[in-house]
Amino acid sequence: MLILRVAVGGTFIAHGYNHAFGPGGLAGTARWFDSMGMKFAAVQAFLSAAVEITAGLGLVLGLLTPLMAAALISVCAVATVTAHRRNGFFVFKDGYEYVLLLALTCTAVAVAGPGLLSVDHVMGIDAMSSGWVGAGIAAVLGVGGAAVLLAVSWRPAPASAQTK
């Protein structure tokens, strides 16, 4: 589980770092979010980078694992709906393949639990937050959080405007 947590959590940390400090920085990320119909784009860009970095680190450490998985599932769900869904499945066509795999991996980590080499195990809470409980926490909060965010702040251009 440590290998899986480090690989997936590290990927999210790198992604969040790129949103914040990569080419264009947060301002560029905000412009991209705005182009997809995200309202409050500057706030969205900051929060996206912060969640990816923070929850990615939490996943790496195995700290409050189902909650960290939920945050990352939420990021993937929002990305799927706003940026990738219309492009189909395959990542080489900018489809949702990659974000789906990351979200399902986070779900699997929540189900399996963080493993012995984790902060949750040291704190003695790993058994209480794995299995169906971990899956429920990760899925309900992850998908629910994404649904709330999209309902509040996603206003894509009408389909006719997107094809012009």
Side-chain angles (χ1 to χ4, degrees), residues 43-156:
V43 173
Q44 299 285 351
F46 174 79
L47 291 176
S48 175
V51 167
E52 288 171 341
I53 292 168
T54 304
L57 181 59
L59 199 67
V60 166
L61 296 172
L63 173 65
L64 305 174
T65 303
L67 296 177
M68 298 302 123
L72 298 172
I73 289 166
S74 186
V75 167
C76 289
V78 170
T80 296
V81 170
T82 60
H84 302 290
R85 177 181 48 100
R86 68 183 168 273
N87 301 321
F89 179 73
F90 295 106
V91 69
F92 61 84
K93 294 182 179 182
D94 201 24
Y96 59 86
E97 174 183 14
Y98 180 65
V99 291
L100 176 64
L101 183 61
L102 287 173
L104 292 175
T105 303
C106 287
T107 304
V109 169
V111 171
L116 297 177
L117 298 173
S118 67
V119 174
D120 286 354
H121 180 73
V122 170
M123 292 179 2
I125 61 172
D126 54 330
M128 296 184 304
S129 59
S130 61
W132 288 110
V133 172
I137 291 169
V140 170
L141 291 180
V143 174
V148 168
L149 178 79
L150 290 168
V152 169
S153 63
W154 185 50
R155 301 294 182 268

